[in-house]
Each structure stands twice: as C-alpha cells, then as structure tokens.
Amino acid sequence: MGPDDLDLNREDPPPPADRPVLAGAAAPPAASRGWLIAALIVLAIAIGGVARWWTMQPDQTVAETPAAAPAPATPTDVPIEPEVTLPPLEDMDPFLRALLGALSARPELARWLATDGLIQQMAMVVDRVSRGVTPARQLGTLSPGTDIEIAGRGRAREISQASFRRYDGLAETLAAADPAAVATAYRTIRPRLNEAYQNQGHPGADVDVAVQQALDLLIATPVPEPPVRVVEGRGATWNYADPELEALSPVQKQLLRLGPENQARVIEALKQIRQQLQP
C-alpha cells in the first residue's frame, strides 16, 4: 500500500508497496492517488456543464406552461427547465465527451474523458461514496500525478502544505460551481445516471437516495485543526495520529487529504448543492 493511502482499508487488493515520501524528496507518480476529489469535480463539472451548455444553444426548446394570469414570483416557484433529449445509456460517452471537452481544460478531466463508460463511472462513484468505500483502482486516471509529502521527524510527522496545495485547483473548481445549475442539470441527466446505478446491482433502487447518502457522509467529515499529524503504520503506510480521524470511513479519510482549508471549501460547496437538491 502506498504512503498516500493512509491505511484506507480498501475493498480491492492494494497496489505494490512503495516507501514513504518525505518533504523535499522526489515523489514518484501515483497510480491511483487522490481519486475522490477529482471524481467529485468530474461529477460537478459534468452536471454543471450540462447547464452551461444549455445557455449556448441558440434554438434551445423550453417547456411552456399553459396561458394563465401571471402570478407574483415567490422563492418557492419551480424554475422552468429546458428539454434535453439524452442519448441511450450505451451512447452517453460521445455525448459527455463532446459536451465536457469544450467546457474545461483540466488535465484530470481530459484523462477521464478518454476512458469508457463515463456515466457508469459516475454511478459507481455515487454508489461507493454513499457506502464509505473508495473506488480507487477503477478511477486511477484521475490521479493528481504526485505523491503525498510528510514533514517532520520521528513521531512528530505531519502532512506538508505542499501536499494540500495539489488540490487547490480542484477545490476552487467545485467551490465555483453554481449549486442551482448543478442541481438542475443533475435532474436532467438523472434518468441515465439512475439507469446506470440500477445496473450496478441495485435493481429498483433510486440514485437520489444514494446521492443524498454520499453528500451526507462527506459533509459530516470533521475538518481538523492544522497541522494534520500522521504516524507511521505497518509497512509503508501512514495513519492519522488523531484516533477520531483514523476511525473515519475510508472515503472520509481521503477527503481529509485536501487539507483543512480546501476541505472546508469543498464541504461548503457540497452543502449548497445538497440544499438545492432537496425537494
């Protein structure tokens, strides 16, 4: 297990072991590091990107309501959503590649778009995160490309600020997403996402429930006071020194890797998205 995995207790077999990387040392490329937040960003860009795409269509069809006397607008009014015809599940890859490729230049997104089964991967992320499980091996293409750095000596070790800075751009991307647009677009692609989710061993289930569980779990992750201290575990692993942090689910422990500042920004963005998704 690699040092960036922080004893994540994966369901899948771990990758070959490597040694801890100390601050100032050269960090080897990571095969499947940092998938979680990159996956969340991909999901946010995907569903938020659909909403932005609507604004670029000059002949977009919008559902119309029957003629009636105008009523004063209230905060509870449900906005009219554009009608978007989604391809069949098996044809969603070209649809998403064409849509997302023009909306973001992030290298993580480009690597992900080169893979197959994009909507199925989104469903897998929702499924596993909702259960506190990490799909690290399946989403290795979303790696940030560098390994974790640990500063300090002896038992006075902590995750370096340089490690946290790897996630600045991803946290900023999610924090800048329009929660209302994300929620509206999610409801648009939901039929295909729900279909993919049901095909992954959840016949008759509702992906909305899994999304709510995933958001609740991530939002409940405590934001630690810096520095985030670690201790060396068995083999080439690092464990969180705080027993309460180490006792968190694997997916929550990976969220901690963003660092307190980025983690707080991401959690706030997820709270706003959750609020917009509530009926």
Side-chain angles (χ1 to χ4, degrees):
M1 183 178 294
D4 202 19
D5 292 313
L6 294 170
D7 192 19
L8 294 179
N9 304 314
R10 288 181 180 169
E11 284 188 341
D12 301 309
D18 49 353
R19 294 305 304 165
V21 180
L22 302 182
S32 60
R33 312 284 195 249
W35 68 270
L36 170 62
I37 299 307
L40 287 173
I41 296 301
V42 162
L43 184 58
I45 290 175
I47 58 185
V50 174
R52 289 196 296 272
W53 174 65
W54 290 336
T55 66
M56 296 188 292
Q57 306 306 303
D59 56 349
Q60 182 66 57
T61 300
V62 178
E64 296 182 356
T65 57
T74 67
T76 58
D77 285 343
V78 177
I80 296 174
E81 298 180 5
E83 295 178 351
V84 176
T85 301
L86 295 174
L89 185 64
E90 62 273 16
D91 295 331
M92 284 294 289
D93 281 351
F95 175 83
L96 291 174
R97 289 188 188 115
L99 171 64
L100 303 182
L103 291 174
S104 175
R106 291 203 64 83
E108 300 90 350
L109 180 61
R111 290 197 299 270
W112 178 70
L113 288 176
T115 65
D116 297 323
L118 302 178
I119 195 73
Q120 290 84 354
Q121 291 185 58
M122 290 182 187
M124 179 185 63
V125 169
V126 170
D127 175 32
R128 294 205 168 193
V129 173
S130 71
R131 297 184 287 114
V133 179
T134 65
R137 289 174 68 100
Q138 291 84 352
L139 295 180
T141 56
L142 299 176
S143 162
T146 57
D147 217 331
I148 194 172
E149 290 185 0
I150 304 297
R153 295 179 179 276
R155 294 187 63 83
R157 304 286 184 88
E158 64 186 63
I159 302 177
S160 72
Q161 288 298 313
S163 285
F164 297 149
R165 297 281 76 82
R166 295 179 301 166
Y167 298 101
D168 285 355
L170 296 175
E172 181 178 352
T173 301
L174 185 56
D178 180 355
V182 168
T184 298
Y186 167 79
R187 295 186 183 102
T188 299
I189 70 167
R190 181 194 173 281
R192 295 295 174 267
L193 188 61
N194 195 58
E195 184 179 352
Y197 177 72
Q198 292 181 348
N199 288 346
Q200 293 181 7
H202 305 283
D206 189 340
V207 73
D208 289 344
V209 175
V211 168
Q212 182 69 37
Q213 291 172 342
L215 289 172
D216 289 347
L217 183 63
L218 294 173
I219 290 170
T221 306
V223 179
E225 292 290 334
V228 181
R229 300 193 182 281
V230 294
V231 294
E232 193 167 1
R234 294 181 179 180
T237 65
W238 293 101
N239 300 336
Y240 291 105
D242 185 336
E244 294 185 4
L245 298 182
E246 185 59 27
L248 295 173
S249 70
V251 81
Q252 289 176 307
K253 288 197 286 186
Q254 287 202 340
L255 183 58
L256 296 175
R257 283 194 218 165
L258 274 70
E261 182 179 345
N262 283 335
Q263 182 190 344
R265 296 181 68 190
V266 167
I267 287 178
E268 179 58 31
L270 295 178
K271 285 181 179 178
Q272 295 181 28
I273 292 172
R274 181 179 64 178
Q275 182 178 7
Q276 291 291 329
L277 288 174
Q278 291 174 348

